[in-house]
């Protein structure tokens, strides 16, 4: 079973192929705005422009199915993916599989790390969620305002760093010293907008590296705290980090300390599959195809707001 997967939910356009459960290609191209944050229409224009080239590179075999990320994401970007899925379905005369982008992050994380039944910490530019399987995905905690990656990118942008700011801020933070900042955890949820405003303000009186270091220490501690509570509650024996922010080494180190103290395992999705990519959509599509979930062309649709605990099959019912 060979599947081409299309990712277009936000800043990244990606196409990748799987042959049964093996990834055989994975090509991505990220839209980098000249200034400011991501504008949905500009990102969609990028995707439309680059799609042909990326898909050509990714199509290393003739596909039997096309999978596309149908949710959640930015409307104009999702639309490009849906249109491309239809195009490929007609071109190769193959069925279509809609995939939840968040579930794809989880599926590829489990596949590449060999995790069995982990607590999932999904941390990316647009999401911050603590998820676990309890007869279906359940969300145990999440951000009440902006996503962790978004908070990082916004502070980095304030520091005149090009998008994506995560790796640059991580470098800058390496030699900083600690400044106390707001720490906002509410039960199982957390909030990042207050600390972001605070961090921007204290840049007037503190060095960039101290602010970067302290910002990271606080936002990561908040995440580790709610994750630890979720582990205590669910009794899971593994934590799996997925999404672009999982590439941060300091974050992994902090999770490792907590996991060691609790005697549980830490698994981290490999960098190639951490950020948005097409191979994860193909792989998640493979799992769906095995269950017999495909849709005809006339059913192709996309949903900007769709949570991982909502039933995707229901959304595509005739
Ligand atoms: P995604 O939305 O899953 O594609 O992930 C993109 C997000 O991951 C962006 O917000 C990046 O800034 C963030 N990111 C990537 N690498 C790192 C890193 N080393 N540290 C922190 N954040 C990162
Ligand atoms: Mg993502």
């Amino acid at each position: 079973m060979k599947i081409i997967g299309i990712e277009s939910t936000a800043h990244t356009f990606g196409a990748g192929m799987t042959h049964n459960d093996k990834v055989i290609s994975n090509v991505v191209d990220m839209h980098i705005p000249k200034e400011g944050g991501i504008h949905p229409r500009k990102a969609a224009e990028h995707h439309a422009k680059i799609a042909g080239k990326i898909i050509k590179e990714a199509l290393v075999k003739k596909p039997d199915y096309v999978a596309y990320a149908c949710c959640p994401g930015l409307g104009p970007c999702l639309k490009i993916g849906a249109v491309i899925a239809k195009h490929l379905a007609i071109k190769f005369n193959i069925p279509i599989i809609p995939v939840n982008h968040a579930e794809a992050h989880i599926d590829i994380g489990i596949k590449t790390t060999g995790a069995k039944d982990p607590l999932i910490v999904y941390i990316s530019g647009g999401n911050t969620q603590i998820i676990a399987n309890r007869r279906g995905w359940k969300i145990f905690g999440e951000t009440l305002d902006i996503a962790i990656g978004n908070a990082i990118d916004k502070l980095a942008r304030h520091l005149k760093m090009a998008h994506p700011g995560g790796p640059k801020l991580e470098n800058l933070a390496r030699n900083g010293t600690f400044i106390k900042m707001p720490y906002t955890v509410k039960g199982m949820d957390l909030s990042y907008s207050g600390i972001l405003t605070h961090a921007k303000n204290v840049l007037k009186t503190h060095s960039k590296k101290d602010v970067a270091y302290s910002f990271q220490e606080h936002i990561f501690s908040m995440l580790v705290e709610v994750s630890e509570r979720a582990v205590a509650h669910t009794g899971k024996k593994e934590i799996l980090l997925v999404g672009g922010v999982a590439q941060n080494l300091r974050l992994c180190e902090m999770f490792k300390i907590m996991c060691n103290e609790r005697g549980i395992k830490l698994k981290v999705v490999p960098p190639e599959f951490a950020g948005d990519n097409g191979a994860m959509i193909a792989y998640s599509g493979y799992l769906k195809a095995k269950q017999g979930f495909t849709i005809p062309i006339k059913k192709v649709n996309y949903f900007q707001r769709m949570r991982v605990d909502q039933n995707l099959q229901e959304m595509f019912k005739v």
Side-chain angles (χ1 to χ4, degrees):
M1 197 189 287
K2 293 183 280 296
I3 302 185
I4 174 95
I6 307 296
E7 161 61 33
S8 72
T9 59
H11 46 66
T12 299
F13 185 83
M17 275 194 84
T18 47
H19 187 170
N20 295 333
D21 68 345
K22 300 267 179 313
V23 172
I24 55 171
S25 70
N26 195 19
V27 190
V28 293
D29 192 286
M30 194 194 283
H31 165 61
I32 298 179
K34 287 201 178 69
E35 55 181 351
I38 294 159
H39 188 291
R41 190 172 41 75
K42 290 260 164 60
E45 279 167 14
H46 160 267
H47 297 351
K49 206 167 118 197
I50 205 87
K53 178 174 167 274
I54 301 291
I55 291 169
K56 201 169 161 195
E57 253 182 82
L59 271 175
V60 289
K61 294 210 170 131
K62 187 187 168 298
D64 306 308
Y65 296 85
V66 53
Y68 74 105
C70 69
C71 63
L74 308 170
C77 298
L78 287 164
K79 189 171 181 179
I80 302 286
V83 169
I84 289 170
K86 285 196 220 179
H87 168 79
L88 291 172
I90 293 167
K91 182 173 170 174
F92 292 104
N93 191 24
I94 52 178
I96 302 176
I97 315 159
V99 166
N100 182 320
H101 172 94
E103 198 169 19
H105 271 293
I106 298 174
D107 288 338
I108 199 76
I110 290 177
K111 165 73 185 159
T112 52
T113 62
K116 305 244 152 24
D117 177 25
L119 182 89
I120 296 130
V121 181
Y122 171 31
I123 37 180
S124 67
N127 292 279
T128 306
Q129 285 179 333
I130 316 291
I131 303 164
N133 196 333
R134 279 213 169 159
R135 278 180 266 123
W137 299 121
K138 297 282 180 294
I139 299 168
F140 287 86
E142 62 193 313
T143 176
L144 297 169
D145 40 53
I146 56 174
I148 188 165
N150 192 226
I152 289 170
D153 291 339
K154 280 185 163 140
L155 181 60
R157 201 149 63 230
H158 195 75
L159 290 165
K160 308 268 183 292
M161 291 166 172
H163 188 86
K168 291 152 205 133
L169 200 78
E170 180 179 13
N171 265 335
L172 178 64
R174 223 151 254 152
N175 301 310
T177 50
F178 192 82
I179 318 163
K180 202 167 177 329
M181 289 186 176
Y183 182 99
T184 317
V185 167
K186 295 181 179 172
M188 296 296 290
D189 296 327
L190 22 83
S191 154
Y192 288 127
S193 63
I195 185 170
L196 174 63
T197 307
H198 181 90
K200 286 183 188 167
N201 282 337
V202 291
L203 274 170
K204 291 172 196 144
T205 48
H206 291 77
S207 75
K208 288 180 181 178
K209 66 178 191 328
D210 288 355
V211 172
Y213 170 75
S214 307
F215 182 72
Q216 278 202 168
E217 291 301 295
H218 281 79
I219 63 171
F220 295 165
S221 298
M222 286 154 60
L223 191 67
V224 171
E225 181 189 326
V226 293
S227 304
E228 182 168 19
R229 202 168 299 133
V231 158
H233 177 67
T234 57
K236 302 287 181 196
K237 300 281 180 274
E238 296 172 306
I239 289 184
L240 170 63
L241 306 184
V242 300
V245 183
Q247 291 168 94
N248 189 294
L249 297 180
R250 176 61 184 146
L251 176 71
C252 294
E253 188 180 29
M254 289 167 78
F255 265 98
K256 189 82 195 138
I257 294 167
M258 183 265 275
C259 288
N260 285 347
E261 280 173 2
R262 294 196 74 89
I264 62 173
K265 283 193 192 134
L266 177 66
K267 308 258 168 157
V268 183
V269 69
E272 184 191 356
F273 301 111
D276 294 348
N277 66 90
M280 71 178 189
I281 304 301
Y283 179 68
S284 199
Y286 164 73
L287 298 179
K288 290 272 180 304
K290 276 207 301 187
Q291 296 165 8
F293 177 48
T294 64
I295 58 164
I297 284 187
K298 64 178 192 303
K299 286 258 119 193
V300 166
N301 203 351
Y302 57 91
F303 310 97
Q304 295 187 54
R305 273 178 243 291
M306 175 89 178
R307 289 161 66 85
V308 72
D309 51 1
Q310 283 174 276
N311 187 332
L312 195 61
Q313 262 105 321
E314 290 275 308
M315 305 294 284
F316 286 93
K317 263 198 179 145
V318 190

